[in-house]
Amino acid sequence: KGQYAYLSPHVGDMENLETVRALERGLAHFRAIFRCDPTRVACDMHPGYLSTRWAETFSQENGLPIIRVQHHHAHIASLVAEHGLDPSENVIGIAYDGTGFGTDRAIWGGEILIANCASCRRAAHLKYVQLPGGDAAIKRPYRVALTHLAAAGIDWSHDLPCVAATPDNELPVLRKQIDTGFNCTQTTSMGRLFDAVASLLGVCHLASYEGQAAVELEMLSDPSGSGAYRFDLDGTEVIALNPTPVFEAIISDFREKVPLSIISARFHAAVADSMVEICCRLQSESAIKTVALTGGVFQNVRLLELSKARLIDSGFNVLTHRIVPPNDGGLSLGQAVISLTR
């Protein structure tokens, strides 16, 4: 309203009638206390979300225009708005999270965009892998580990914890799914990459809450650990972050009995270093010096601190969240700002 943005309490994933009713109660409450009526509706691009279907119905019933906003663009815009930047100023936006619907209809989550509050361009992303069973793999990190090993051309050896944790009757089914793409979704999710490494090391194979595997991997990491693995950067026009050498190095260290705390630290350092390398390449092409770190993966304090420090050392101005949540709790602000700017 005017120059102010008021965020409701985070409803969470809208997956049932109760959450829809909570959204409607929140909307009615805000319209009453702030004495305002909506002039447009903004929503996520994902056609299957209950929130998207609710927004479509609400816009039709009230004769309002609807603006569909790409998930990771909204994350970046929420951070830009929090810091009060000019909506037309371009930033290198690093949006790392678990799940977001991409413009190619794949599941994104490891995205680096050149973006402002009106438009964005995909500049880099984590390499695509198959996600067997789609969302079912989120609760079974061992599946994500197996698909990353397959993409890297690494054998499913039973001395690897993620392979040993997979039920014997499930292994051939997963292999067939991954090889054929049957009942698989392509993803670039950075959140799933953390899940894969956690399962590969035997840290977490079954997740009972969102982000469990990544949280446990972070807690395991040795703050004094030295060294870093290294991603390959493939492509020129759009850079693909290839984790194959990271998995090869992790497995080598695991078999050499390197402490898991050190392996975790080296993995976190690798993710941070890859951001710096990509940002330096993009800065040389675009002259953009501001980097925005957003998305649920940046709730990982170790990764956030490493990334911010190394980017600052490389001469970048780094934006991080202080008021608005980096996860989907802050997504609505970005959606609203983009819809207004457009």
Side-chain angles (χ1 to χ4, degrees), residues 55-119:
E56 291 168 347
T57 301
F58 184 84
S59 68
Q60 291 169 3
E61 291 177 347
N62 293 275
L64 300 174
I66 185 169
I67 296 91
R68 304 171 199 275
V69 180
Q70 201 281 320
H71 188 91
H72 301 97
H73 188 198
H75 271 307
I76 295 165
S78 74
L79 181 54
V80 167
E82 177 181 338
H83 284 265
L85 268 62
D86 187 303
S88 64
E89 180 179 342
N90 281 328
V91 300
I92 300 173
I94 302 180
Y96 284 173
D97 63 5
T99 300
F101 192 70
T103 55
D104 59 359
R105 305 186 69 84
I107 300 301
W108 290 6
E111 310 308 309
I112 299 182
L113 312 178
I114 303 296
N116 56 41
C117 289
S119 62

Coordinates of all heavy atoms in Angstrom, one line a residue, residues 55-119:
A55 N -5.3 -18.0 -7.4 CA -5.1 -16.7 -7.9 C -5.9 -16.5 -9.2 O -6.5 -15.5 -9.5 CB -3.6 -16.5 -8.2
E56 N -5.9 -17.6 -10.1 CA -6.7 -17.5 -11.3 C -8.2 -17.3 -11.0 O -8.8 -16.4 -11.7 CB -6.5 -18.8 -12.1 CG -5.1 -18.9 -12.7 CD -4.8 -20.3 -13.2 OE1 -5.6 -21.3 -12.9 OE2 -3.8 -20.5 -13.9
T57 N -8.7 -18.0 -10.1 CA -10.1 -17.9 -9.7 C -10.4 -16.5 -9.2 O -11.4 -15.9 -9.5 CB -10.5 -19.0 -8.7 OG1 -10.3 -20.3 -9.3 CG2 -12.0 -18.8 -8.3
F58 N -9.6 -16.1 -8.3 CA -9.8 -14.7 -7.6 C -9.7 -13.6 -8.6 O -10.5 -12.7 -8.6 CB -8.7 -14.5 -6.5 CG -8.9 -13.2 -5.8 CD1 -9.7 -13.2 -4.7 CD2 -8.2 -12.1 -6.1 CE1 -9.9 -12.0 -3.9 CE2 -8.3 -10.9 -5.4 CZ -9.2 -10.9 -4.3
S59 N -8.8 -13.7 -9.6 CA -8.7 -12.7 -10.6 C -9.9 -12.6 -11.5 O -10.4 -11.6 -11.9 CB -7.4 -12.8 -11.4 OG -7.5 -14.0 -12.2
Q60 N -10.4 -13.8 -11.9 CA -11.6 -13.9 -12.7 C -12.8 -13.3 -12.0 O -13.6 -12.6 -12.6 CB -11.8 -15.3 -13.2 CG -10.8 -15.8 -14.1 CD -10.8 -17.4 -14.3 OE1 -11.7 -18.0 -13.8 NE2 -9.9 -17.9 -15.1
E61 N -13.0 -13.7 -10.8 CA -14.2 -13.3 -10.0 C -14.2 -11.8 -9.7 O -15.3 -11.2 -9.6 CB -14.2 -14.1 -8.7 CG -14.5 -15.6 -8.8 CD -14.5 -16.3 -7.5 OE1 -14.0 -15.7 -6.5 OE2 -15.0 -17.5 -7.5
N62 N -13.0 -11.2 -9.7 CA -12.9 -9.8 -9.3 C -12.5 -8.9 -10.5 O -12.3 -7.7 -10.3 CB -11.9 -9.6 -8.2 CG -12.4 -10.2 -6.9 OD1 -13.1 -9.6 -6.1 ND2 -12.0 -11.4 -6.6
G63 N -12.4 -9.5 -11.7 CA -12.1 -8.8 -12.9 C -10.7 -8.1 -12.8 O -10.5 -7.0 -13.3
L64 N -9.7 -8.8 -12.3 CA -8.4 -8.2 -12.1 C -7.4 -8.9 -13.0 O -7.5 -10.1 -13.3 CB -7.9 -8.4 -10.6 CG -8.8 -7.8 -9.5 CD1 -8.3 -8.2 -8.2 CD2 -8.8 -6.2 -9.7
P65 N -6.4 -8.1 -13.5 CA -5.3 -8.8 -14.3 C -4.5 -9.7 -13.4 O -4.3 -9.4 -12.2 CB -4.5 -7.6 -14.8 CG -4.8 -6.5 -13.8 CD -6.2 -6.7 -13.3
I66 N -3.9 -10.7 -14.0 CA -3.1 -11.6 -13.3 C -1.7 -11.7 -13.9 O -1.6 -11.7 -15.2 CB -3.7 -13.1 -13.2 CG1 -2.8 -14.0 -12.4 CG2 -3.9 -13.6 -14.6 CD1 -3.6 -15.3 -12.1
I67 N -0.6 -11.6 -13.1 CA 0.7 -11.7 -13.6 C 1.4 -12.9 -13.0 O 1.4 -13.1 -11.8 CB 1.5 -10.4 -13.1 CG1 0.9 -9.1 -13.8 CG2 3.0 -10.5 -13.5 CD1 -0.1 -8.5 -13.0
R68 N 1.9 -13.7 -13.9 CA 2.6 -15.0 -13.5 C 4.1 -14.7 -13.4 O 4.7 -14.2 -14.4 CB 2.3 -16.1 -14.4 CG 0.8 -16.4 -14.5 CD 0.5 -17.3 -15.6 NE -0.9 -17.2 -16.0 CZ -1.9 -17.8 -15.4 NH1 -1.7 -18.6 -14.4 NH2 -3.2 -17.7 -15.8
V69 N 4.7 -15.0 -12.3 CA 6.1 -14.6 -12.0 C 7.0 -15.9 -11.8 O 6.6 -16.8 -11.1 CB 6.2 -13.7 -10.8 CG1 7.7 -13.3 -10.5 CG2 5.4 -12.5 -11.0
Q70 N 8.1 -16.0 -12.6 CA 9.0 -17.1 -12.4 C 9.6 -17.1 -10.9 O 10.0 -16.1 -10.4 CB 10.2 -17.0 -13.4 CG 10.9 -18.4 -13.6 CD 11.9 -18.7 -12.5 OE1 12.6 -17.8 -12.1 NE2 11.9 -20.0 -12.2
H71 N 9.6 -18.3 -10.4 CA 9.9 -18.5 -8.9 C 11.2 -17.8 -8.5 O 11.3 -17.1 -7.5 CB 10.0 -20.0 -8.7 CG 10.1 -20.4 -7.2 ND1 9.0 -20.6 -6.5 CD2 11.2 -20.6 -6.5 CE1 9.4 -20.9 -5.2 NE2 10.7 -20.9 -5.2
H72 N 12.3 -18.0 -9.2 CA 13.6 -17.6 -8.8 C 13.8 -16.1 -9.1 O 14.5 -15.4 -8.4 CB 14.7 -18.4 -9.4 CG 14.6 -19.8 -9.1 ND1 13.9 -20.8 -9.9 CD2 14.9 -20.5 -7.9 CE1 13.9 -21.9 -9.3 NE2 14.5 -21.8 -8.1
H73 N 13.1 -15.6 -10.1 CA 13.1 -14.1 -10.4 C 12.4 -13.4 -9.2 O 12.9 -12.4 -8.7 CB 12.3 -13.9 -11.7 CG 12.4 -12.4 -12.1 ND1 11.5 -11.9 -13.0 CD2 13.2 -11.4 -11.7 CE1 11.8 -10.6 -13.2 NE2 12.8 -10.3 -12.4
A74 N 11.4 -14.0 -8.6 CA 10.7 -13.5 -7.5 C 11.6 -13.4 -6.3 O 11.6 -12.5 -5.5 CB 9.4 -14.2 -7.2
H75 N 12.3 -14.5 -6.0 CA 13.3 -14.5 -4.9 C 14.3 -13.3 -5.0 O 14.5 -12.6 -4.0 CB 14.1 -15.8 -4.9 CG 13.5 -17.0 -4.2 ND1 13.1 -16.8 -2.9 CD2 13.2 -18.2 -4.5 CE1 12.6 -18.0 -2.5 NE2 12.7 -18.9 -3.5
I76 N 14.8 -13.1 -6.2 CA 15.8 -12.0 -6.4 C 15.1 -10.7 -6.2 O 15.7 -9.8 -5.5 CB 16.4 -12.2 -7.8 CG1 17.3 -13.5 -7.9 CG2 17.3 -11.0 -8.1 CD1 17.6 -13.9 -9.3
A77 N 13.9 -10.5 -6.7 CA 13.2 -9.2 -6.6 C 12.9 -8.9 -5.2 O 12.9 -7.8 -4.7 CB 12.0 -9.2 -7.5
S78 N 12.6 -9.9 -4.4 CA 12.3 -9.7 -3.0 C 13.5 -9.1 -2.2 O 13.4 -8.3 -1.4 CB 11.8 -11.0 -2.3 OG 12.9 -11.9 -2.1
L79 N 14.7 -9.6 -2.6 CA 15.9 -9.1 -1.9 C 16.3 -7.7 -2.4 O 16.7 -6.9 -1.6 CB 17.1 -10.1 -2.2 CG 18.4 -9.8 -1.7 CD1 18.4 -9.6 -0.1 CD2 19.4 -10.9 -2.0
V80 N 16.1 -7.5 -3.7 CA 16.3 -6.2 -4.3 C 15.4 -5.1 -3.6 O 15.8 -4.0 -3.3 CB 16.1 -6.2 -5.8 CG1 16.0 -4.8 -6.4 CG2 17.3 -7.0 -6.5
A81 N 14.1 -5.5 -3.4 CA 13.2 -4.6 -2.8 C 13.5 -4.4 -1.4 O 13.4 -3.2 -0.9 CB 11.8 -5.2 -2.9
E82 N 14.0 -5.4 -0.7 CA 14.3 -5.3 0.7 C 15.4 -4.2 0.9 O 15.5 -3.4 1.9 CB 14.8 -6.6 1.3 CG 15.3 -6.5 2.8 CD 15.8 -7.9 3.3 OE1 15.4 -8.9 2.8 OE2 16.5 -7.8 4.3
H83 N 16.4 -4.2 0.0 CA 17.5 -3.3 0.0 C 17.2 -1.9 -0.6 O 18.1 -1.0 -0.6 CB 18.8 -3.9 -0.6 CG 19.4 -4.9 0.3 ND1 20.4 -4.6 1.2 CD2 19.1 -6.2 0.5 CE1 20.8 -5.7 1.9 NE2 20.0 -6.7 1.5
G84 N 16.0 -1.8 -1.2 CA 15.6 -0.5 -1.8 C 16.4 -0.1 -3.0 O 16.5 1.1 -3.3
L85 N 16.8 -1.0 -3.8 CA 17.5 -0.7 -5.1 C 16.5 -0.2 -6.1 O 15.3 -0.5 -6.0 CB 18.2 -1.9 -5.6 CG 19.7 -2.2 -5.2 CD1 19.8 -2.4 -3.7 CD2 20.3 -3.4 -6.0
D86 N 17.0 0.5 -7.0 CA 16.2 1.0 -8.2 C 15.7 -0.3 -8.9 O 16.5 -1.2 -9.2 CB 17.1 1.8 -9.1 CG 16.2 2.5 -10.2 OD1 15.6 1.7 -11.0 OD2 16.2 3.7 -10.4
P87 N 14.4 -0.3 -9.2 CA 13.8 -1.5 -9.8 C 14.5 -1.9 -11.2 O 14.4 -3.0 -11.6 CB 12.3 -1.2 -10.0 CG 12.1 -0.2 -9.0 CD 13.3 0.6 -8.8
S88 N 15.1 -0.9 -11.8 CA 15.7 -1.1 -13.2 C 17.1 -1.5 -13.1 O 17.7 -1.8 -14.1 CB 15.6 0.2 -14.0 OG 16.3 1.2 -13.5
E89 N 17.7 -1.5 -11.9 CA 19.1 -1.9 -11.7 C 19.4 -3.4 -11.8 O 18.7 -4.2 -11.1 CB 19.7 -1.4 -10.4 CG 21.1 -1.7 -10.1 CD 21.7 -1.2 -8.8 OE1 21.0 -0.4 -8.2 OE2 22.8 -1.7 -8.4
N90 N 20.3 -3.8 -12.7 CA 20.6 -5.2 -12.9 C 21.5 -5.7 -11.8 O 22.4 -5.0 -11.3 CB 21.2 -5.5 -14.2 CG 20.2 -5.5 -15.3 OD1 19.1 -5.9 -15.2 ND2 20.6 -5.1 -16.5
V91 N 21.2 -6.9 -11.3 CA 22.1 -7.6 -10.3 C 22.4 -9.0 -10.8 O 21.7 -9.5 -11.7 CB 21.5 -7.7 -8.9 CG1 21.2 -6.3 -8.4 CG2 20.2 -8.5 -8.9
I92 N 23.5 -9.6 -10.3 CA 23.7 -11.0 -10.5 C 23.0 -11.7 -9.4 O 23.4 -11.6 -8.3 CB 25.2 -11.3 -10.5 CG1 25.9 -10.6 -11.7 CG2 25.4 -12.8 -10.7 CD1 27.4 -10.7 -11.6
G93 N 21.9 -12.3 -9.7 CA 21.0 -12.9 -8.7 C 21.3 -14.4 -8.6 O 21.2 -15.1 -9.6
I94 N 21.8 -14.9 -7.4 CA 22.0 -16.3 -7.2 C 20.9 -16.8 -6.4 O 20.7 -16.5 -5.2 CB 23.4 -16.5 -6.5 CG1 24.5 -15.9 -7.3 CG2 23.6 -18.0 -6.3 CD1 25.9 -16.1 -6.7
A95 N 20.0 -17.6 -7.0 CA 18.8 -18.1 -6.3 C 18.9 -19.6 -6.2 O 18.7 -20.3 -7.2 CB 17.5 -17.7 -7.1
Y96 N 19.3 -20.1 -5.0 CA 19.6 -21.5 -4.8 C 18.5 -22.0 -3.8 O 18.4 -21.5 -2.7 CB 20.9 -21.7 -4.2 CG 22.1 -21.7 -5.2 CD1 23.4 -21.7 -4.7 CD2 21.9 -21.5 -6.6 CE1 24.5 -21.7 -5.6 CE2 22.9 -21.5 -7.5 CZ 24.2 -21.5 -7.0 OH 25.3 -21.5 -7.9
D97 N 17.7 -23.0 -4.3 CA 16.7 -23.5 -3.4 C 16.4 -24.9 -3.8 O 17.2 -25.6 -4.5 CB 15.4 -22.6 -3.4 CG 14.7 -22.5 -4.8 OD1 15.2 -23.2 -5.7 OD2 13.8 -21.8 -5.0
G98 N 15.2 -25.4 -3.3 CA 14.9 -26.8 -3.6 C 14.1 -27.0 -4.9 O 14.4 -27.8 -5.7
T99 N 13.0 -26.2 -5.0 CA 12.1 -26.5 -6.1 C 11.5 -25.1 -6.6 O 11.0 -24.3 -5.8 CB 10.9 -27.3 -5.6 OG1 11.4 -28.6 -5.2 CG2 9.9 -27.6 -6.8
G100 N 11.5 -24.9 -7.9 CA 10.9 -23.8 -8.5 C 10.6 -24.1 -10.0 O 11.5 -24.7 -10.7
F101 N 9.5 -23.8 -10.5 CA 9.1 -24.1 -11.8 C 9.8 -23.2 -12.8 O 9.8 -22.0 -12.7 CB 7.6 -23.9 -12.0 CG 7.0 -24.4 -13.2 CD1 6.9 -25.8 -13.4 CD2 6.5 -23.6 -14.2 CE1 6.3 -26.3 -14.6 CE2 5.9 -24.1 -15.4 CZ 5.8 -25.5 -15.6
G102 N 10.5 -23.8 -13.8 CA 11.3 -23.1 -14.7 C 10.5 -22.7 -16.0 O 9.5 -23.3 -16.3
T103 N 11.1 -21.8 -16.8 CA 10.4 -21.4 -18.0 C 10.4 -22.6 -19.1 O 9.7 -22.5 -20.1 CB 11.1 -20.2 -18.6 OG1 12.5 -20.5 -18.8 CG2 11.0 -19.0 -17.7
D104 N 11.3 -23.6 -18.9 CA 11.3 -24.7 -19.8 C 10.5 -25.9 -19.2 O 10.6 -27.0 -19.7 CB 12.8 -25.2 -20.0 CG 13.5 -25.6 -18.7 OD1 12.9 -25.5 -17.6 OD2 14.7 -26.0 -18.8
R105 N 9.8 -25.6 -18.1 CA 8.8 -26.6 -17.5 C 9.6 -27.6 -16.7 O 9.0 -28.6 -16.2 CB 7.9 -27.2 -18.5 CG 7.1 -26.2 -19.2 CD 6.0 -26.9 -20.1 NE 4.9 -27.4 -19.3 CZ 3.9 -26.8 -18.8 NH1 3.8 -25.5 -19.0 NH2 3.0 -27.4 -18.1
A106 N 10.9 -27.5 -16.5 CA 11.7 -28.3 -15.6 C 11.7 -27.7 -14.2 O 11.2 -26.6 -14.0 CB 13.1 -28.5 -16.1
I107 N 12.2 -28.5 -13.2 CA 12.2 -28.0 -11.9 C 13.6 -27.4 -11.7 O 14.6 -28.0 -11.7 CB 12.0 -29.1 -10.9 CG1 10.6 -29.7 -11.1 CG2 12.1 -28.6 -9.4 CD1 9.5 -28.7 -11.0
W108 N 13.6 -26.0 -11.5 CA 14.8 -25.3 -11.3 C 15.2 -25.2 -9.8 O 14.4 -25.6 -9.0 CB 14.7 -23.9 -11.9 CG 14.7 -23.8 -13.4 CD1 14.6 -24.9 -14.3 CD2 14.7 -22.7 -14.2 NE1 14.6 -24.4 -15.6 CE2 14.6 -23.1 -15.6 CE3 14.7 -21.3 -13.9 CZ2 14.6 -22.2 -16.6 CZ3 14.7 -20.4 -15.0 CH2 14.7 -20.8 -16.3
G109 N 16.4 -24.7 -9.5 CA 16.7 -24.6 -8.1 C 18.2 -24.2 -7.9 O 18.6 -24.0 -6.8
G110 N 19.0 -24.2 -9.0 CA 20.4 -23.8 -8.9 C 20.6 -22.7 -9.9 O 21.4 -22.9 -10.8
E111 N 20.0 -21.6 -9.7 CA 19.9 -20.6 -10.8 C 20.8 -19.3 -10.5 O 20.8 -18.8 -9.4 CB 18.5 -20.1 -11.0 CG 17.5 -21.3 -11.2 CD 17.9 -22.3 -12.2 OE1 18.2 -21.9 -13.4 OE2 17.9 -23.5 -11.9
I112 N 21.4 -18.9 -11.5 CA 22.1 -17.6 -11.5 C 21.5 -16.7 -12.7 O 21.7 -17.1 -13.8 CB 23.6 -17.7 -11.6 CG1 24.2 -18.5 -10.4 CG2 24.3 -16.3 -11.6 CD1 25.7 -18.7 -10.4
L113 N 20.9 -15.6 -12.3 CA 20.2 -14.8 -13.3 C 20.7 -13.4 -13.3 O 21.1 -12.9 -12.2 CB 18.7 -14.7 -12.9 CG 17.9 -16.0 -12.6 CD1 16.5 -15.7 -12.3 CD2 18.0 -17.0 -13.8
I114 N 20.8 -12.8 -14.5 CA 21.0 -11.4 -14.6 C 19.6 -10.8 -14.5 O 18.8 -11.0 -15.4 CB 21.7 -11.0 -15.9 CG1 23.0 -11.7 -16.0 CG2 21.9 -9.5 -16.0 CD1 24.1 -11.3 -15.0
A115 N 19.3 -10.0 -13.5 CA 17.9 -9.7 -13.2 C 17.7 -8.3 -12.7 O 18.6 -7.7 -12.0 CB 17.2 -10.7 -12.3
N116 N 16.6 -7.7 -13.0 CA 16.1 -6.5 -12.3 C 14.6 -6.8 -11.9 O 14.2 -8.0 -12.0 CB 16.2 -5.2 -13.1 CG 15.5 -5.3 -14.5 OD1 14.4 -5.9 -14.6 ND2 16.2 -4.8 -15.5
C117 N 13.9 -5.8 -11.5 CA 12.5 -6.1 -11.1 C 11.5 -6.1 -12.2 O 10.3 -6.3 -11.9 CB 12.1 -5.0 -10.0 SG 12.9 -5.2 -8.5
A118 N 11.9 -6.1 -13.4 CA 11.0 -6.2 -14.6 C 11.3 -7.5 -15.4 O 10.4 -8.1 -15.9 CB 11.1 -5.0 -15.5
S119 N 12.6 -7.8 -15.5 CA 13.0 -8.9 -16.4 C 14.2 -9.7 -15.8 O 14.8 -9.2 -14.9 CB 13.2 -8.4 -17.8 OG 14.4 -7.5 -17.7

